[in-house]
Amino acid sequence: MLFIMKRSFDLSKKPRPGESLIEALLFAAGVLSVFVTVAIVFELGKEAMLFFADPDMTWVKFFTMTKWQPGIGQYGIWALVSATMTTSVIAILIALPLGLASAVYLSEYASHRARSILKPVLEILAGIPTVVYGYFALLFVTPILKNIFKDGIQVYNMLSAGLVMGIMILPLIASMSEDALNAVPRSLREGAYAMGATKLETSLQIVLPAALSGIGAAVIVGISRAVGETMIVAVAAGAGPNFSFNPLDAAETMTGHIARISGGDLSYNTIDYTSLFAIALMLFLVTLTLNLVSQWIVNRFRERYE
Amino acid sequence: MEINYAIETNDLSIHYGNFTAVKDVSIKIERQKITAIIGPSGCGKSTLLRAFNRMNDFVPNSRVTGEVLLHGNNLYGRNVDPVEARRRIGMVFQKPNPFPKSIYENIAWGARINGFKGSMDELVEESLRGAALWDEVKDNLKESAYALSGGQQQRLCIARTIAIQPEIILMDEPASALDPISTLRIEELMQELKKNYSIIIVTHNMQQAARASDFTAMMMIDDNRSGGVIEFGETRTLFTRPTDKRTEDYVTGRFG
Ligand SMILES: Nc1ncnc2c1ncn2[C@@H]1O[C@H](COP(=O)(O)OP(=O)(O)OP(=O)(O)O)[C@@H](O)[C@H]1O
Ligand SMILES: [Mg+2]
């Protein structure tokens, strides 16, 4: 009794070396990742500034010209952006409906058996290296398209790359959407069924809207992946900037262009060199914006379920 | 004679896999009355209640034997469409579970999927009035249902249930998450609702059962942990002159 009394009055600080050590390590890890990010952005910005500082380069040219060849004074970023946009839009048009449908099927309809087969298949799909997808597009999908469109389509084309890119991001959208659907509490479904709703009405009109913020985030992440994807477009979409939104044309995306040019021999401090950083900075800004939008969507539409 | 009963069960048993959760229940539940189901935790009250609108269909491995008769038709008969059955038998859950929609849409949705053709505005108002919620929300119908308090949400869930005009309303501890004032409001509401509906309510609250119900079913588990109705009758009789010793112990608080 006396012992307990004594202890309970001692409120002085106890040293806990283990705690502080772990805390310091975790803090260091956090700082490191922030530092690396800042360093990359800094490097990117530094080189890109050289490009933007070039007296011949003006913002008007940058955003209105339709040809990209900085070496000879053509600064039209749209020549690359058009291909990035076209392939990404095709990819999302494929991946969103299919991904959403598989997510609804997996979370609302699939039996245990069907799930245990489909989930691993999706994971395998997500694990295939993108270069394999690239050659799949060029050597398998393009010949099929060639059969359909005959001479209307070029050997390298944005359609093939976009379609395959859609297949690539499908598992991502499916699994993120499925997580969002699974997070919708069972009580909400039961509430709908108790109103005499069918399974379809419940899935599409109650569960899906309830998971909208998560699905929105999945779509944005999917778009970011498509915009940033390099190998597939480098292999299958075409090698050379081309201002075109026609999926049947060959064109080079921002990423594909960076990959090709930086792969060749390139001397420092030339405009060709610094222009790559300018493209990279643009890409970075696009994905950053997409991420911010997705965070905003998640917060804005986050549902509380009780 | 049959017309007096909202639901009749014959040797109703409900199984989860090999476990029989509810065994051999044969009761007749009267129309336009409030019937309470009481009993210790885990005795199968929710299981029994959910058998009345085929909610157990969603529990994998659950199985029902025996009959649940609605207008003389077995709810578990071959030709019965469970979706159709649930339209006739509404349910209010223990935790309020409004849809992530506006207050207005929470009510309109159920009516719409059930093919309601009349004036939606009128139906929404009528249902909200019926659930004693209209005055509190009439200026905020477009707001999210999640902005309401727990008690208001529960009344919204009652409102959306009466909007589809079921014959029977099942309530599984509808007031257990609510404060005493909201609880009283729900009880008053039940008295109002029983003019048009038959109500079956599961409750842990003895006072509530004694106060609010006309009939009471007392459930208890047997040696195999299977629940059964050990006594069923008018609430007044069951609480004042129970025939079963276990009922007496339970209603007087001498049992868990
Ligand atoms: N989905 C399920 N799968 C398997 N067993 C279940 C399931 N739901 C309930 N049970 C079992 O059935 C029995 C009755 O459960 P039930 O939920 O009906 O009890 P209850 O009387 O409503 O209890 P409480 O008062 O705590 O809500 C319990 O033994 C429980 O473990
Ligand atoms: Mg229960």
Coordinates of all heavy atoms in Angstrom, one line a residue, chain A residues 158-230:
Chain A
M158 N -1.3 6.7 -82.3 CA -1.6 7.0 -80.9 C -2.7 6.1 -80.5 O -2.8 5.8 -79.3 CB -2.1 8.4 -80.8 CG -1.0 9.4 -81.1 SD -1.4 11.1 -80.7 CE -2.2 11.6 -82.3
L159 N -3.6 5.6 -81.4 CA -4.7 4.7 -81.0 C -4.2 3.4 -80.3 O -4.6 3.1 -79.2 CB -5.5 4.4 -82.2 CG -6.8 3.5 -81.9 CD1 -7.7 4.2 -80.9 CD2 -7.5 3.2 -83.2
S160 N -3.3 2.8 -81.0 CA -2.7 1.5 -80.4 C -2.1 1.8 -79.1 O -2.4 1.0 -78.1 CB -1.7 1.0 -81.4 OG -1.1 -0.2 -80.8
A161 N -1.3 2.8 -79.0 CA -0.6 3.1 -77.7 C -1.6 3.4 -76.6 O -1.6 2.9 -75.5 CB 0.4 4.2 -77.9
G162 N -2.6 4.2 -77.0 CA -3.7 4.6 -76.0 C -4.5 3.5 -75.5 O -4.7 3.3 -74.3
L163 N -4.9 2.6 -76.4 CA -5.6 1.4 -76.1 C -4.9 0.6 -75.0 O -5.4 0.2 -74.0 CB -6.0 0.6 -77.3 CG -7.0 1.1 -78.3 CD1 -7.1 0.2 -79.5 CD2 -8.3 1.3 -77.6
V164 N -3.6 0.3 -75.4 CA -2.8 -0.6 -74.5 C -2.5 0.1 -73.2 O -2.5 -0.5 -72.1 CB -1.5 -1.0 -75.2 CG1 -0.6 -1.8 -74.3 CG2 -1.9 -1.9 -76.4
M165 N -2.3 1.4 -73.2 CA -2.1 2.2 -72.0 C -3.4 2.0 -71.1 O -3.3 1.9 -69.9 CB -1.9 3.6 -72.3 CG -1.0 4.3 -71.3 SD -0.1 5.6 -72.2 CE -1.3 6.9 -72.3
G166 N -4.6 2.0 -71.8 CA -5.8 1.8 -71.0 C -5.8 0.5 -70.3 O -6.2 0.4 -69.1
I167 N -5.4 -0.5 -71.0 CA -5.3 -1.9 -70.4 C -4.3 -1.8 -69.2 O -4.6 -2.4 -68.2 CB -4.9 -2.9 -71.4 CG1 -5.9 -3.0 -72.5 CG2 -4.7 -4.3 -70.7 CD1 -5.5 -3.9 -73.7
M168 N -3.2 -1.1 -69.4 CA -2.3 -1.0 -68.3 C -2.8 -0.4 -67.1 O -2.6 -0.8 -66.0 CB -1.0 -0.2 -68.8 CG 0.1 -0.2 -67.8 SD 1.2 1.2 -68.0 CE 0.3 2.6 -67.4
I169 N -3.6 0.7 -67.2 CA -4.1 1.4 -66.0 C -5.4 0.9 -65.5 O -5.8 1.2 -64.4 CB -4.2 2.9 -66.2 CG1 -5.1 3.3 -67.3 CG2 -2.8 3.6 -66.4 CD1 -5.3 4.8 -67.5
L170 N -6.0 -0.1 -66.3 CA -7.2 -0.7 -65.8 C -7.2 -1.3 -64.4 O -8.0 -1.0 -63.6 CB -7.7 -1.7 -66.9 CG -9.1 -2.3 -66.8 CD1 -9.4 -2.9 -68.2 CD2 -9.3 -3.4 -65.8
P171 N -6.1 -2.1 -64.2 CA -6.1 -2.7 -62.8 C -6.0 -1.7 -61.7 O -6.6 -1.9 -60.6 CB -4.8 -3.6 -62.8 CG -4.4 -3.6 -64.2 CD -5.0 -2.5 -65.0
L172 N -5.3 -0.6 -62.0 CA -5.1 0.4 -61.0 C -6.5 1.0 -60.7 O -6.9 1.2 -59.5 CB -4.2 1.5 -61.5 CG -3.9 2.7 -60.6 CD1 -3.0 2.3 -59.5 CD2 -3.4 3.9 -61.4
I173 N -7.2 1.4 -61.7 CA -8.5 2.0 -61.5 C -9.5 1.0 -60.9 O -10.3 1.3 -60.0 CB -9.1 2.6 -62.8 CG1 -8.2 3.8 -63.3 CG2 -10.6 3.0 -62.7 CD1 -8.8 4.6 -64.4
A174 N -9.4 -0.2 -61.4 CA -10.3 -1.2 -60.8 C -10.1 -1.4 -59.3 O -11.0 -1.5 -58.5 CB -10.2 -2.6 -61.6
S175 N -8.8 -1.6 -58.9 CA -8.6 -1.9 -57.5 C -8.8 -0.7 -56.6 O -9.3 -0.9 -55.5 CB -7.2 -2.6 -57.3 OG -6.2 -1.6 -57.1
M176 N -8.4 0.5 -57.1 CA -8.7 1.6 -56.2 C -10.2 1.9 -56.1 O -10.7 2.2 -55.0 CB -8.1 2.9 -56.8 CG -6.6 3.0 -56.5 SD -5.9 4.6 -57.1 CE -6.6 5.8 -55.9
S177 N -11.0 1.7 -57.2 CA -12.4 1.8 -57.1 C -13.0 0.8 -56.2 O -14.0 1.0 -55.5 CB -13.0 1.8 -58.5 OG -12.5 2.7 -59.3
E178 N -12.5 -0.4 -56.3 CA -13.0 -1.5 -55.5 C -12.8 -1.2 -54.0 O -13.7 -1.5 -53.2 CB -12.4 -2.9 -55.9 CG -13.2 -4.0 -55.4 CD -12.3 -5.2 -55.0 OE1 -11.1 -5.3 -55.4 OE2 -12.8 -6.1 -54.3
D179 N -11.6 -0.7 -53.7 CA -11.4 -0.3 -52.3 C -12.5 0.7 -51.9 O -13.0 0.6 -50.8 CB -10.0 0.3 -52.1 CG -8.9 -0.8 -52.2 OD1 -9.3 -2.0 -52.2 OD2 -7.8 -0.4 -52.4
A180 N -12.7 1.7 -52.8 CA -13.7 2.7 -52.4 C -15.1 2.1 -52.2 O -15.8 2.4 -51.3 CB -13.8 3.8 -53.5
L181 N -15.5 1.1 -53.1 CA -16.8 0.5 -53.0 C -16.9 -0.4 -51.7 O -17.9 -0.4 -51.0 CB -17.1 -0.4 -54.2 CG -17.3 0.4 -55.5 CD1 -17.3 -0.6 -56.7 CD2 -18.5 1.2 -55.5
N182 N -15.8 -1.0 -51.4 CA -15.7 -1.9 -50.2 C -15.8 -1.1 -48.9 O -16.3 -1.6 -47.9 CB -14.5 -2.8 -50.1 CG -14.6 -4.0 -51.0 OD1 -15.7 -4.5 -51.2 ND2 -13.5 -4.5 -51.5
A183 N -15.4 0.2 -49.0 CA -15.4 1.0 -47.8 C -16.8 1.5 -47.5 O -17.1 2.0 -46.4 CB -14.5 2.2 -48.0
V184 N -17.7 1.4 -48.5 CA -19.1 1.7 -48.2 C -19.7 0.7 -47.2 O -19.7 -0.5 -47.5 CB -19.9 1.8 -49.5 CG1 -21.4 2.1 -49.2 CG2 -19.4 2.8 -50.4
P185 N -20.2 1.2 -46.1 CA -20.6 0.2 -45.1 C -21.8 -0.6 -45.5 O -22.6 -0.2 -46.3 CB -21.0 1.1 -43.9 CG -21.1 2.5 -44.4 CD -20.3 2.6 -45.6
R186 N -21.8 -1.8 -45.0 CA -22.8 -2.8 -45.3 C -24.2 -2.3 -44.9 O -25.2 -2.6 -45.6 CB -22.5 -4.0 -44.4 CG -23.1 -5.3 -44.7 CD -22.7 -6.3 -43.6 NE -23.8 -7.1 -43.3 CZ -23.9 -8.3 -43.9 NH1 -22.9 -8.7 -44.7 NH2 -24.9 -9.1 -43.7
S187 N -24.2 -1.5 -43.8 CA -25.5 -1.0 -43.4 C -26.2 -0.2 -44.4 O -27.5 -0.1 -44.5 CB -25.3 -0.2 -42.1 OG -24.6 1.0 -42.4
L188 N -25.4 0.5 -45.3 CA -26.0 1.3 -46.3 C -26.7 0.4 -47.4 O -27.8 0.7 -47.9 CB -24.9 2.2 -47.0 CG -25.3 3.6 -47.4 CD1 -25.9 4.3 -46.3 CD2 -24.1 4.3 -47.9
R189 N -26.0 -0.7 -47.7 CA -26.6 -1.6 -48.7 C -27.9 -2.2 -48.1 O -28.9 -2.3 -48.7 CB -25.6 -2.7 -49.0 CG -24.4 -2.3 -49.7 CD -23.5 -3.4 -50.0 NE -22.3 -3.0 -50.8 CZ -21.2 -2.5 -50.2 NH1 -21.2 -2.3 -48.9 NH2 -20.2 -2.1 -51.0
E190 N -27.8 -2.6 -46.8 CA -29.0 -3.2 -46.2 C -30.1 -2.2 -46.2 O -31.3 -2.6 -46.4 CB -28.6 -3.7 -44.8 CG -27.7 -4.8 -44.7 CD -27.7 -5.6 -43.4 OE1 -28.0 -4.9 -42.4 OE2 -27.4 -6.8 -43.4
G191 N -29.8 -1.0 -45.9 CA -30.9 0.1 -45.9 C -31.6 0.1 -47.3 O -32.8 0.2 -47.4
A192 N -30.8 0.0 -48.3 CA -31.3 0.1 -49.7 C -32.2 -1.2 -50.0 O -33.3 -1.1 -50.5 CB -30.2 0.2 -50.7
Y193 N -31.6 -2.4 -49.6 CA -32.4 -3.6 -49.9 C -33.7 -3.6 -49.1 O -34.7 -4.0 -49.6 CB -31.5 -4.8 -49.4 CG -30.4 -5.1 -50.3 CD1 -29.1 -5.3 -49.8 CD2 -30.6 -5.2 -51.7 CE1 -28.0 -5.6 -50.7 CE2 -29.5 -5.4 -52.6 CZ -28.2 -5.7 -52.0 OH -27.2 -5.9 -52.8
A194 N -33.6 -3.0 -47.9 CA -34.8 -3.0 -47.1 C -35.9 -2.1 -47.7 O -37.1 -2.2 -47.3 CB -34.5 -2.6 -45.6
M195 N -35.5 -1.2 -48.6 CA -36.5 -0.4 -49.2 C -37.1 -1.1 -50.5 O -37.8 -0.5 -51.2 CB -35.9 0.9 -49.7 CG -35.2 1.8 -48.7 SD -36.4 2.5 -47.6 CE -37.2 3.6 -48.6
G196 N -36.7 -2.3 -50.7 CA -37.1 -3.1 -51.8 C -36.3 -2.8 -53.1 O -36.8 -2.8 -54.2
A197 N -35.1 -2.4 -52.9 CA -34.2 -2.1 -54.1 C -33.6 -3.4 -54.6 O -33.4 -4.4 -53.8 CB -33.1 -1.2 -53.7
T198 N -33.4 -3.5 -55.9 CA -32.8 -4.7 -56.4 C -31.3 -4.5 -56.3 O -30.8 -3.4 -55.9 CB -33.1 -4.8 -57.9 OG1 -32.5 -3.6 -58.6 CG2 -34.5 -4.9 -58.2
K199 N -30.5 -5.5 -56.6 CA -29.1 -5.5 -56.5 C -28.5 -4.4 -57.3 O -27.6 -3.6 -56.9 CB -28.5 -6.8 -56.8 CG -27.1 -7.0 -56.5 CD -26.8 -8.4 -56.1 CE -25.5 -8.4 -55.3 NZ -25.2 -9.8 -54.7
L200 N -29.0 -4.3 -58.6 CA -28.5 -3.3 -59.5 C -28.8 -1.9 -59.0 O -27.9 -1.0 -59.0 CB -29.1 -3.5 -60.9 CG -28.5 -2.8 -62.0 CD1 -27.1 -3.2 -62.3 CD2 -29.3 -2.9 -63.3
E201 N -30.0 -1.7 -58.5 CA -30.4 -0.4 -58.0 C -29.5 0.0 -56.8 O -29.0 1.1 -56.7 CB -31.9 -0.3 -57.6 CG -32.8 -0.3 -58.8 CD -34.2 -0.7 -58.4 OE1 -34.5 -1.3 -57.3 OE2 -35.1 -0.4 -59.2
T202 N -29.3 -1.0 -56.0 CA -28.4 -0.7 -54.8 C -27.0 -0.4 -55.2 O -26.4 0.6 -54.8 CB -28.4 -1.9 -53.9 OG1 -29.8 -2.2 -53.5 CG2 -27.7 -1.7 -52.6
S203 N -26.4 -1.2 -56.1 CA -25.0 -1.0 -56.5 C -24.9 0.3 -57.2 O -23.9 1.1 -56.9 CB -24.6 -2.1 -57.5 OG -24.9 -3.4 -56.9
L204 N -25.7 0.6 -58.2 CA -25.5 1.8 -59.0 C -26.0 3.1 -58.4 O -25.4 4.1 -58.6 CB -26.1 1.6 -60.4 CG -25.6 0.5 -61.2 CD1 -26.2 0.5 -62.6 CD2 -24.1 0.6 -61.3
Q205 N -27.1 3.0 -57.6 CA -27.7 4.3 -57.1 C -27.3 4.6 -55.7 O -27.4 5.7 -55.3 CB -29.2 4.2 -57.3 CG -29.6 4.1 -58.8 CD -31.1 4.0 -59.0 OE1 -31.8 4.6 -58.3 NE2 -31.5 3.2 -59.9
I206 N -26.9 3.6 -54.9 CA -26.5 3.9 -53.5 C -25.0 3.7 -53.3 O -24.3 4.6 -52.9 CB -27.3 3.1 -52.6 CG1 -28.8 3.3 -52.7 CG2 -26.8 3.3 -51.1 CD1 -29.2 4.7 -52.2
V207 N -24.5 2.5 -53.6 CA -23.1 2.2 -53.3 C -22.2 3.1 -54.2 O -21.2 3.7 -53.6 CB -22.8 0.7 -53.5 CG1 -21.4 0.4 -53.1 CG2 -23.8 -0.1 -52.6
L208 N -22.4 3.1 -55.5 CA -21.5 3.8 -56.3 C -21.4 5.3 -56.0 O -20.3 5.8 -55.8 CB -21.9 3.6 -57.8 CG -20.9 3.8 -58.9 CD1 -19.8 2.8 -58.8 CD2 -21.5 3.8 -60.3
P209 N -22.5 6.0 -55.9 CA -22.4 7.4 -55.5 C -21.8 7.6 -54.1 O -21.0 8.6 -53.9 CB -23.9 7.9 -55.4 CG -24.7 6.9 -56.2 CD -23.9 5.6 -56.1
A210 N -22.0 6.7 -53.2 CA -21.4 6.8 -51.9 C -19.8 6.7 -52.0 O -19.1 7.2 -51.1 CB -21.9 5.7 -50.9
A211 N -19.4 6.0 -53.0 CA -17.9 5.8 -53.2 C -17.3 6.8 -54.2 O -16.2 6.6 -54.6 CB -17.7 4.4 -53.6
L212 N -18.1 7.8 -54.5 CA -17.7 8.7 -55.6 C -16.3 9.4 -55.4 O -15.5 9.5 -56.3 CB -18.7 9.7 -55.9 CG -18.9 10.1 -57.4 CD1 -19.1 8.9 -58.2 CD2 -20.0 11.1 -57.6
S213 N -16.1 9.8 -54.2 CA -14.8 10.5 -54.0 C -13.6 9.6 -54.2 O -12.7 9.9 -54.8 CB -14.8 11.1 -52.6 OG -14.6 10.1 -51.6
G214 N -13.7 8.3 -53.7 CA -12.7 7.4 -53.9 C -12.5 7.0 -55.4 O -11.4 6.9 -55.9
I215 N -13.6 6.9 -56.1 CA -13.5 6.6 -57.5 C -12.9 7.8 -58.3 O -12.1 7.6 -59.2 CB -14.9 6.3 -58.1 CG1 -15.4 4.9 -57.5 CG2 -14.9 6.2 -59.6 CD1 -16.8 4.6 -57.7
G216 N -13.3 9.0 -57.9 CA -12.7 10.2 -58.5 C -11.2 10.2 -58.4 O -10.5 10.5 -59.3
A217 N -10.8 9.9 -57.2 CA -9.4 9.9 -56.9 C -8.7 8.8 -57.8 O -7.6 9.0 -58.4 CB -9.1 9.6 -55.4
A218 N -9.4 7.7 -58.0 CA -8.8 6.6 -58.8 C -8.6 7.1 -60.2 O -7.6 6.8 -60.9 CB -9.7 5.4 -58.8
V219 N -9.6 7.8 -60.7 CA -9.6 8.3 -62.1 C -8.4 9.3 -62.3 O -7.6 9.2 -63.2 CB -10.9 9.0 -62.5 CG1 -10.7 9.6 -63.9 CG2 -12.0 8.0 -62.5
I220 N -8.2 10.2 -61.3 CA -7.2 11.1 -61.4 C -5.8 10.4 -61.4 O -4.9 10.8 -62.1 CB -7.2 12.2 -60.2 CG1 -8.6 12.9 -60.3 CG2 -6.1 13.1 -60.3 CD1 -8.7 14.0 -61.2
V221 N -5.7 9.5 -60.5 CA -4.4 8.8 -60.4 C -4.2 8.0 -61.7 O -3.1 8.0 -62.2 CB -4.4 7.8 -59.2 CG1 -3.2 6.9 -59.3 CG2 -4.4 8.5 -57.9
G222 N -5.3 7.5 -62.3 CA -5.2 6.8 -63.6 C -4.7 7.8 -64.7 O -3.8 7.4 -65.5
I223 N -5.2 9.0 -64.7 CA -4.8 10.0 -65.7 C -3.4 10.3 -65.5 O -2.6 10.4 -66.4 CB -5.7 11.2 -65.6 CG1 -7.2 10.9 -65.9 CG2 -5.2 12.3 -66.6 CD1 -8.1 12.1 -65.8
S224 N -3.0 10.5 -64.2 CA -1.6 10.8 -64.0 C -0.6 9.7 -64.5 O 0.4 10.0 -65.1 CB -1.3 11.0 -62.5 OG -2.1 11.9 -61.9
R225 N -1.0 8.5 -64.3 CA -0.2 7.4 -64.8 C -0.1 7.4 -66.3 O 0.9 7.3 -66.9 CB -0.8 6.0 -64.4 CG -0.5 5.5 -63.0 CD 1.0 5.2 -62.9 NE 1.5 4.1 -63.7 CZ 1.4 2.9 -63.5 NH1 0.8 2.5 -62.3 NH2 1.9 1.9 -64.3
A226 N -1.3 7.7 -67.0 CA -1.3 7.8 -68.4 C -0.4 8.9 -68.9 O 0.3 8.7 -69.9 CB -2.8 7.9 -68.9
V227 N -0.5 10.1 -68.3 CA 0.2 11.2 -68.8 C 1.7 10.9 -68.6 O 2.5 11.3 -69.4 CB -0.2 12.5 -68.0 CG1 0.8 13.6 -68.2 CG2 -1.6 12.9 -68.4
G228 N 2.1 10.3 -67.5 CA 3.5 10.0 -67.2 C 4.1 8.8 -67.9 O 5.3 8.6 -67.9
E229 N 3.2 7.9 -68.4 CA 3.7 6.7 -69.0 C 4.6 6.9 -70.2 O 4.3 7.8 -71.1 CB 2.5 5.8 -69.4 CG 2.8 4.6 -70.3 CD 3.9 3.8 -69.7 OE1 4.0 3.7 -68.5 OE2 4.7 3.3 -70.5
T230 N 5.7 6.2 -70.3 CA 6.7 6.5 -71.2 C 6.9 5.4 -72.3 O 6.9 5.6 -73.5 CB 8.1 6.8 -70.6 OG1 7.8 7.8 -69.6 CG2 9.1 7.3 -71.5

